[in-house]
Amino acid sequence: MTPQAKLIFTSSLILGTTITISSNHWITAWAGLEINTLAILPLIAKSHHPRAIEAATKYFLTQATASALLLFSAMMNAWYTGQWDITQLTHPTACLILTSALAMKLGLAPFHFWFPEVLQGSPLTTALLLSTLMKFPPMTLLFMTSPSLNPTLLTYMAILSTALGGWMGLNQTQIRKILAFSSISHLGWMAIIVSYHPKLTLLNFYLYSLITTTVFLTLNTIKTSKLSTLMTTWTKTPALSTMLLLTLLSLAGLPPFTGFLPKWLIIQELTKQSMAPAAIMISLLSLLSLFFYLRLAYCATITLPPHTTNHMKQWHASKPTSSAIAILTTTSTMLLPISPLILTT
């Protein structure tokens, strides 16, 4: 792909995201989502591999269906109430259809099946965009419509997402699929709190995006996409593998890393809302995803390849680790002590 084409598609992604997050009208929000979808498709399919073409086709069909449902819910609400404003969604059937549309856009269970397949067929940089930037516009719409949505339905979908994200990621060997199920599991934490404390959902999304960006950029630097090659990276880049270990522990939500902050605040808020059983259930289900994070960390740092295998010995990386990864790793692991400052801002 030529640099000019990459520039056009990247600009379109930024434009579509900006249009959606700054709009008050359903039609402009829908138009921004469509621009986003059309801009990411060439980035998914740029390798011309059959798996990449399949991923782009699945992504297009799913997003087109979700956009049609979103437009249908907006039209139904406008038909009954005369309101096209995003925050004025009041009709119950329209709210139900919108919940389904946004769940499909985000990859929230039970509409999650497309996400691991699409991520597996995409390059690591495109997979990063799909996991972070492409989820921002629908997350903004979820934030804006959160007072109208059914909290019980969102709670059930959130617990199902956390359960399936942890359960289905257990036996995976492809790192992109593991990170896809990780994303589904994290979306459960965001969805369960959006009706009660929407700002916590955004904080969780920002920190998740930060930590996931670090993981994807690190994997892109060491050119690793499956567990068997991750086991051989310690001899090539020990410092980067150590940074990956810390970032994965932060993504798992272990103290004293940054990833513990949103989980701690969400459990606290759920307890205040008299939802202690839901908090206990989602905390226990997140232990499933903790297992595959620990397995990734184990493969990255503790496992050394046996000398009897016929793999090529890797030399140390000639180019130094980029400063962006160093900064991102620092923020991904060390923001917990300044959590009072984050909460006040």
Side-chain angles (χ1 to χ4, degrees):
M1 187 179 285
T2 60
Q4 291 86 352
K6 276 188 181 176
L7 179 64
I8 290 169
F9 296 137
T10 311
S11 305
S12 301
L13 277 177
I14 296 168
L15 174 68
T17 304
T18 310
I19 287 173
T20 303
I21 65 176
S22 59
S23 60
N24 290 316
H25 197 282
W26 277 114
I27 297 294
T28 48
W30 170 80
L33 289 170
E34 289 299 303
I35 292 169
N36 254 1
T37 303
L38 294 174
I40 198 74
L41 286 173
L43 297 177
I44 297 172
K46 68 180 178 181
S47 66
H48 302 294
H49 190 276
R51 190 181 285 275
I53 304 297
E54 180 191 344
T57 310
K58 284 178 178 175
Y59 185 76
F60 172 73
L61 291 174
T62 314
Q63 298 300 309
T65 308
S67 294
L69 282 174
L70 185 135
L71 199 57
F72 179 59
S73 73
M75 288 171 66
M76 179 181 284
N77 188 67
W79 178 269
Y80 282 103
T81 64
Q83 287 287 342
W84 281 99
D85 196 289
I86 292 175
T87 55
Q88 300 297 320
L89 190 76
T90 52
H91 193 264
T93 312
C95 292
L96 188 65
I97 296 171
L98 180 79
T99 307
S100 305
L102 291 180
M104 204 178 288
K105 282 274 180 194
L106 289 165
L108 186 71
F111 305 102
H112 65 286
F113 293 102
W114 62 273
F115 191 56
E117 301 296 327
V118 170
L119 228 65
Q120 180 56 32
S122 309
L124 277 168
T125 46
T126 311
L128 167 62
L129 288 174
L130 286 169
S131 300
T132 53
L133 184 68
M134 296 301 290
K135 288 183 188 286
F136 189 42
M139 190 60 71
T140 311
L141 293 177
L142 190 69
F143 175 81
M144 292 172 74
T145 56
S146 58
S148 311
L149 302 181
N150 185 348
T152 311
L153 177 65
L154 283 171
T155 303
Y156 282 123
M157 290 172 76
I159 290 172
L160 185 63
S161 275
T162 315
L164 288 176
W167 192 259
M168 296 174 75
L170 288 178
N171 62 344
Q172 300 296 330
T173 57
Q174 299 289 331
I175 295 176
R176 277 169 294 189
K177 275 197 174 181
I178 291 176
L179 290 172
F181 288 118
S182 153
S183 178
I184 292 166
S185 180
H186 275 86
L187 277 170
W189 283 88
M190 296 174 211
I192 200 168
I193 201 67
V194 71
S195 297
Y196 306 104
H197 201 314
K199 288 184 179 177
L200 266 187
T201 299
L202 283 188
L203 174 67
N204 194 348
F205 178 72
Y206 294 148
L207 293 179
Y208 163 75
S209 300
L210 174 74
I211 301 168
T212 304
T213 303
T214 313
V215 173
F216 271 111
L217 290 180
T218 306
L219 292 171
N220 193 43
T221 304
I222 57 183
K223 299 289 181 285
T224 302
S225 61
K226 54 181 184 285
L227 286 179
S228 56
T229 51
L230 188 64
M231 291 179 185
T232 65
T233 54
W234 179 261
T235 53
K236 187 172 74 164
T237 51
L240 204 55
S241 296
T242 309
M243 290 158 72
L244 181 62
L245 163 73
L246 296 175
T247 313
L248 285 168
L249 294 178
S250 181
L251 193 59
L254 291 180
F257 300 111
T258 305
F260 177 62
L261 172 63
K263 285 186 167 58
W264 169 36
L265 294 172
I266 287 171
I267 290 170
Q268 190 178 11
E269 185 63 31
L270 286 174
T271 312
K272 284 180 187 174
Q273 299 290 340
S274 303
M275 291 180 64
I280 292 167
M281 194 175 293
I282 201 168
S283 304
L284 290 175
L285 288 171
S286 66
L287 294 176
L288 289 170
S289 46
L290 175 63
F291 173 78
F292 59 73
Y293 291 128
L294 289 176
R295 189 171 65 158
L296 271 176
Y298 176 78
C299 290
T301 52
I302 303 170
T303 307
L304 288 177
H307 296 293
T308 53
T309 53
N310 295 324
H311 71 276
M312 294 288 288
K313 288 294 179 187
Q314 293 176 312
W315 292 90
H316 282 268
S318 54
K319 63 174 186 177
T321 305
S322 68
S323 55
I325 295 179
I327 295 166
L328 283 169
T329 306
T330 307
T331 50
S332 297
T333 53
M334 298 186 181
L335 286 185
L336 190 63
I338 59 163
S339 52
L341 177 64
I342 295 171
L343 293 175
T344 51
T345 53

